[in-house]
Amino acid sequence: MDFNETQPYENAADRSEGTRAPTYTQSERLHAIKERVRARQKAMTKAFIDIASELDAARNELPKSKLKAFLVSECGLNRSDLRTYLKFTEALGAHRETILKGAVSFATIKALVAAPTAVRDEVVEKIALGSFVASSDVAAVKRRHVNDAKDPGVEQERRRRKALRSAAELKAQSKVESFGEQFLPFAQSLIDFYNDGYDDTRSRDDLIDNRISLMQEAGDCLARFEELFDTAALPAAWEFHYQGNPDETVWLARAHDSLKSLALGEFQSIDPDSGNPYDTSHDFLDRAAVESVLWLFNDNGISREQLKHRKLPASASKTVIDPPYRLSSIEICAGAGGQALGLHAAGFDAVCIYEQNKNAVATLKVNRALGPVRQGDIANVDFTSYRGKIDLVAGGVPCQPHSSMGLQKGRDDERDLFMEAVRIVSEVAPKAFFFENVEGFGFRANSAYRAELHRKFKELGYDTQVFSFFGSDYGLAQNRPRVAFVGFRDVPIGRFRMPPRFPEWRTTVGEALIDLVAANGWEGAEDWARNKANKIGPTIVGGSEQSGRLAFSANLRKQAWVDLGIDPLGIAKSAPSADHPKNSPFQFTMKMGARLQGFPDDWVFCGTQHPQKRQIGNALPPVMARAVGLAIYSALTGLDFDYAQALQSPLPAQHQGRLKLNMLARVSDHLDTVPDHC
């Protein structure tokens, strides 16, 4: 059924003779269902909490044994549920509002009450951040905590041996073990080759000579592998996620694929468009291929930890500030680079950054080198060459079709590219994706569209959820509501949790802009910051390319900016002059808009004023992208971040030697604006 199709929706009042049933769109029907289901879920949660409160009062009047007998015989409560009611206040009373707001089911509450405190605290935090949690998710967190307490090496070895036994072709286990012993020198040669190349401890000629012998050894190992294992039953190396195979079988498939590549001398995977290797950390050899092969030799004292660089931390549960190694990403609809900058700071290196607008492309190229930038319409790009090599696909899919300030055509808007995003994910098969959009994407009118997207991604093997988050919770001086459409393929969505909020970081417009406003000596700047602009501002907007307005304010928010002492009807070339009237409003400069978005002060925006304004106003602020990026990194790796420190760490520094950028930055500082052209 077409999700835009209008269908009759009857109720009792509409069935009277001569009355035609009103019609509702699919989006309206789905939104109504959602509202009713969530209301009833919340009512059931409230009913449980009310019963628990009633029993708390009764415990002061009746002996425990008598109360239990009464509840079973007179109230009809299940004896197995009594502990949940009686222990609720003790276990979860401090989180009563979170449980109620999240409309948590009885089964989940029961699992939480029975769970250890550490498990309970982690799950409650996820509920508070907007995740839907089932009892099975509580059990999964509990299992992870138990496994973390065990020796991870023992557990990994147990799983690996199980996979080897099940995948072997009815041959003696001794033959499987002899495989590792026979080719142990090859595994060690592979490690030495990688480490020598990384450290430049060997000459290039020596490495080329070693490469030839390594090809021969890989060929011998491959032949024995194919004798021993049923390779026809293994999934294709980069298709396994759609076939539901366990991780151990996946590793066998990867090892087989990597051995074939090494035997053929294909030591690096090359991007056919640019001719550059996907893995740029080594001149000769893909790390992923090496790790895949070394997995076969884990019980022979060989492991990927022997490889230099990108070494995994000793404990996955360790809390870190900076990502200890880099993951890969592709970014689409990158705009001025706000999301790209934030994700780079969160540990993702862009294999490629795609953007169609020529001014935004110039902006991406003149600033920090976040990855290769390509200009073009993503609808005309074939992404299959990246398949299975990318950790994250991300992008700011055009938001105007869903903006509450626009026409809200959604999927019918020619600028909507969500279906292209679905295609790109299907071609790349990343481990995760993250598409940000405006608050309106989560509104009632888009319910059917969201349902269709969830279905399409589910068919591709992804668990998905839409989360809301606000820029003001991460130190921005504007409300900036956004939604994050997040999906994971080989990681349960239950492992992902949105980053914590930091409302204590909230900054007023005056605090954020005082130095820029006072740059030309305006005497009224401090009074303006303290008494006028002493609150968080509305969301600034960029508008579409069809819009001719030169302002950061939406029409519906103009008065709010006036109340903050800002003239919202234009953008100034410079800050207020020294003789600007003390209590008179002034207009934003481009630098002020960029500061409200959290861009570094040296970030240069290319083009004339209109395209600069669009680039700034339409961007996802780097700190918001960084926060979600760290949460995705955490879900993919198992690492926990100290978000408070990580999000306040400086963004990646400007590269040295960029003379053009330095010149533009000096001009920008002199004019208190950004240059009109790059």
Side-chain angles (χ1 to χ4, degrees):
M1 179 181 292
D2 186 341
F3 274 81
N4 281 335
E5 184 178 350
T6 300
Q7 296 290 324
Y9 191 81
E10 297 185 356
N11 57 43
D14 296 324
R15 293 173 184 163
S16 60
E17 186 175 353
T19 301
R20 178 179 176 81
T23 58
Y24 298 89
T25 65
Q26 283 279 5
S27 287
E28 290 170 334
R29 292 177 66 183
L30 287 172
H31 181 79
I33 290 171
K34 173 187 172 182
E35 292 294 303
R36 288 195 295 271
V37 169
R38 294 298 288 169
R40 284 158 177 75
Q41 287 175 321
K42 193 169 184 177
M44 289 189 288
T45 305
K46 185 178 186 303
F48 166 83
I49 293 176
D50 288 345
I51 292 173
S53 299
E54 188 73 30
L55 299 189
D56 282 342
R59 293 170 70 176
N60 298 324
E61 303 171 10
L62 294 172
K64 188 175 182 180
S65 58
K66 188 175 182 179
L67 176 61
K68 286 184 176 181
F70 176 81
L71 294 174
V72 173
S73 301
E74 295 290 328
C75 301
L77 293 183
N78 191 312
R79 189 177 297 274
S80 65
D81 295 337
L82 289 181
R83 184 177 185 276
T84 303
Y85 285 104
L86 296 173
K87 290 284 187 179
F88 173 78
T89 300
E90 176 186 337
L92 292 167
H95 308 295
R96 191 183 304 263
E97 292 302 318
T98 299
I99 298 296
L100 180 59
K101 184 177 180 181
V104 180
S105 70
F106 178 81
T108 302
I109 293 174
K110 187 173 184 178
L112 281 172
V113 168
T117 302
V119 173
R120 191 184 304 141
D121 290 345
E122 179 177 331
V123 174
V124 168
E125 182 181 356
K126 291 177 63 175
I127 295 170
L129 293 171
S131 293
F132 300 133
V133 176
S135 57
S136 58
D137 297 319
V138 180
V141 173
K142 185 176 180 180
R143 284 195 302 272
R144 176 165 55 77
H145 279 245
V146 171
N147 288 336
D148 286 348
K150 298 178 180 178
D151 183 343
V154 173
E155 284 297 301
Q156 182 182 26
E157 180 58 21
R158 182 188 64 79
R159 292 193 298 269
R160 196 188 72 84
R161 284 182 175 275
K162 181 180 178 181
L164 288 173
R165 287 196 298 270
S166 63
E169 286 185 327
L170 301 177
K171 298 199 175 185
Q173 186 64 23
S174 60
K175 291 188 177 181
V176 176
E177 293 172 354
S178 69
F179 172 82
E181 295 172 0
Q182 179 182 356
F183 293 101
L184 187 59
F186 162 62
Q188 190 59 55
S189 296
L190 196 59
I191 292 173
D192 293 342
F193 183 88
Y194 185 89
N195 288 342
D196 288 347
Y198 178 72
D199 278 350
D200 293 330
T201 57
R202 302 283 292 277
S203 70
R204 189 176 184 87
D205 290 340
D206 285 344
L207 287 171
I208 292 174
D209 290 340
N210 289 348
R211 183 176 181 275
I212 296 172
S213 63
L214 206 58
M215 289 171 57
Q216 179 62 50
E217 292 179 59
D220 294 341
C221 187
L222 174 65
R224 180 59 175 153
F225 183 101
E226 293 180 341
E227 286 179 8
L228 188 61
F229 297 102
D230 181 11
T231 55
L234 294 175
W238 302 111
E239 295 290 337
F240 56 87
H241 294 287
Y242 302 107
Q243 300 181 25
N245 296 297
D247 289 348
E248 290 74 17
T249 307
V250 167
W251 275 106
L252 281 171
R254 286 179 170 176
H256 184 224
D257 186 70
S258 295
L259 284 172
K260 288 192 293 185
S261 296
L262 292 173
L264 292 172
E266 297 172 355
F267 281 29
Q268 284 185 316
S269 296
I270 303 297
D271 179 354
D273 292 332
S274 67
N276 298 320
Y278 290 109
D279 183 357
T280 57
S281 64
H282 196 285
D283 288 340
F284 291 95
L285 188 57
D286 275 350
R287 184 184 181 93
V290 179
E291 290 181 343
S292 298
V293 172
L294 295 186
W295 179 83
L296 294 167
F297 302 92
N298 280 359
D299 59 349
N300 299 99
I302 296 292
S303 73
R304 64 182 182 179
E305 277 72 28
Q306 293 173 255
L307 300 176
K308 295 182 178 179
H309 191 47
R310 279 183 60 169
K311 183 178 179 180
L312 290 171
S315 172
S317 61
K318 179 182 177 182
T319 299
V320 298
I321 298 173
D322 298 314
Y325 54 93
R326 312 297 295 177
L327 300 181
S328 61
S329 66
I330 287 177
E331 295 179 44
I332 61 173
C333 309
Q339 187 174 36
L341 182 59
L343 290 178
H344 186 80
F348 292 91
D349 287 336
V351 172
C352 202
I353 300 174
Y354 288 88
E355 171 55 44
Q356 184 175 14
N357 182 273
K358 65 178 182 179
N359 293 301
V361 168
T363 295
L364 289 166
K365 289 182 176 180
V366 79
N367 287 289
R368 292 148 174 71
L370 301 175
V373 179
R374 293 180 190 160
Q375 182 179 356
D377 185 350
I378 58 171
N380 299 325
V381 178
D382 181 356
F383 287 85
T384 54
S385 62
Y386 298 108
R387 188 169 185 80
K389 304 177 178 69
I390 302 299
D391 296 304
L392 175 69
V393 167
V397 179
C399 60
Q400 288 86 1
H402 308 287
S403 174
S404 59
M405 303 301 175
L407 299 177
Q408 300 183 55
K409 293 182 179 180
R411 63 175 291 166
D412 295 324
D413 195 303
E414 64 181 10
R415 296 165 295 179
D416 181 59
L417 291 177
F418 256 113
M419 288 305 164
E420 285 300 324
V422 173
R423 174 186 66 84
I424 292 168
V425 168
S426 71
E427 291 180 355
V428 176
K431 294 177 182 176
F433 65 77
F434 162 35
F435 300 121
E436 66 91 10
N437 214 291
V438 292
E439 183 184 30
F441 181 74
F443 287 176
R444 173 186 306 183
N446 293 309
S447 296
Y449 194 21
R450 293 197 307 276
E452 184 174 3
L453 290 170
H454 287 307
R455 177 181 64 81
K456 286 183 175 293
F457 283 122
K458 187 65 177 178
E459 290 174 351
L460 295 175
Y462 290 84
D463 290 333
T464 57
Q465 194 172 342
V466 176
F467 297 89
S468 297
F469 62 133
F470 295 81
S472 55
D473 285 333
Y474 298 99
L476 297 182
Q478 56 167 321
N479 193 31
R480 202 74 188 171
R482 281 295 184 269
V483 297
F485 195 127
V486 177
F488 291 87
R489 184 189 57 190
D490 55 351
V491 173
I493 191 71
R495 191 184 297 177
F496 172 79
R497 54 179 172 176
M498 282 292 282
R501 306 182 183 101
F502 297 96
E504 65 274 17
W505 292 357
R506 293 189 177 184
T507 305
T508 69
V509 173
E511 290 169 338
L513 301 182
I514 178 62
D515 61 319
L516 298 181
V517 172
N520 291 333
W522 181 39
E523 294 182 356
E526 289 190 13
D527 181 68
W528 166 82
R530 185 183 306 110
N531 300 316
K532 265 287 192 184
N534 56 356
K535 63 182 69 173
I536 292 172
T539 299
I540 68 170
V541 299
S544 67
E545 293 193 18
Q546 290 89 341
S547 171
R549 295 183 69 247
L550 187 61
F552 284 125
S553 170
N555 283 325
L556 296 177
R557 300 289 182 266
K558 288 190 291 187
Q559 186 57 49
W561 284 117
V562 171
D563 293 342
L564 289 168
I566 302 295
D567 174 1
L569 299 181
I571 295 178
K573 289 283 188 181
S574 63
S577 62
D579 58 356
H580 186 81
K582 186 173 182 180
N583 295 315
S584 179
F586 60 88
Q587 294 180 341
F588 279 134
T589 64
M590 292 294 182
K591 268 200 167 184
M592 294 176 192
R595 175 76 67 81
L596 289 178
Q597 287 283 63
F599 278 101
D601 285 345
D602 63 357
W603 201 261
V604 177
F605 298 89
C606 296
T608 56
Q609 281 193 308
H610 279 89
Q612 286 182 33
K613 183 263 299 189
R614 286 193 291 270
Q615 290 174 58
I616 294 170
N618 290 334
L620 178 67
V623 69
M624 297 179 74
R626 188 180 197 176
V628 178
L630 289 172
I632 293 172
Y633 190 108
S634 178
L636 291 177
T637 65
L639 286 165
D640 292 326
F641 285 96
D642 182 332
Y643 284 92
Q645 292 194 61
L647 293 177
Q648 295 185 96
S649 297
L651 288 166
Q654 186 60 271
H655 292 278
Q656 299 299 317
R658 307 286 297 271
L659 296 179
K660 182 178 180 182
L661 177 57
N662 292 340
M663 177 188 70
L664 292 170
R666 287 196 297 272
V667 173
S668 172
D669 289 339
H670 178 68
L671 295 178
D672 191 32
T673 184
V674 291
D676 284 342
H677 301 282
C678 291

